[in-house]
Each structure stands twice: as structure tokens, then as C-alpha cells.
Amino acid sequence: MWSYIIPIVTLLVGAVGGFFAGVYYLRKQLENMQSDPAMLQEMAKKMGYNMNKQQLQKAQQMMKNQNFGGRKPGRK
């Protein structure tokens, strides 16, 4: 009986842990793109877009307004 329960529990714990690790990694990458225009431009090129400086600045401003840090504005 334990030979069935332990693998199922391990799978569930691994899936949940992997999900949260992936979310954390993605948020960190998006936060880095806010401050590094070269990284943002590279991502845009991979998606097939060529961005000029004005478009790049507008995209950075939009990302800053998205608040990827998980904190709500006005709260400490």
C-alpha cells in the first residue's frame, strides 16, 4: 500500500514545487527586463519584432506599471 502512496505524494509535491519555482523564475526574468533594455529587445527579436528606442522605452514603462514584484502599490 505504501508503495502506491509515496510515489503519488512525491509527484504532487514535486509538481507544486516546480510550479512555484517556475513562477519565481519568470517573475525574476521579467523584473530584469524592466531594467535591461537589451534583454527586452532580445526577447522581442525572438518573437519576430524589431523595436526602435521609442517602442522599447514604452514597453519598459508598461512593464514597470505591471508591478511584477508581487507588491501592491501604496502598501509597505
Side-chain angles (χ1 to χ4, degrees):
M1 180 170 153
W2 286 106
S3 62
Y4 294 112
I5 294 173
I6 291 177
I8 292 171
V9 171
T10 304
L11 177 68
L12 292 174
V13 169
V16 170
F19 172 77
F20 285 112
V23 168
Y24 176 79
Y25 176 76
L26 182 61
R27 279 193 178 169
K28 283 295 178 189
Q29 289 295 99
L30 290 173
E31 286 175 6
N32 289 340
M33 278 187 219
Q34 289 177 3
S35 61
D36 189 9
M39 189 180 251
L40 184 61
Q41 191 166 23
E42 180 184 332
M43 182 190 71
K45 281 186 180 181
K46 286 181 181 178
M47 294 187 337
Y49 295 106
N50 279 331
M51 298 174 79
N52 60 29
K53 286 184 180 184
Q54 184 181 13
Q55 290 170 327
L56 196 59
Q57 288 175 348
K58 190 169 185 173
Q60 277 186 299
Q61 188 63 38
M62 287 174 59
M63 288 181 75
K64 285 181 183 177
N65 290 339
Q66 289 291 323
N67 194 14
F68 288 112
R71 293 180 300 270
K72 294 189 177 173
R75 290 196 165 184
K76 291 184 181 180

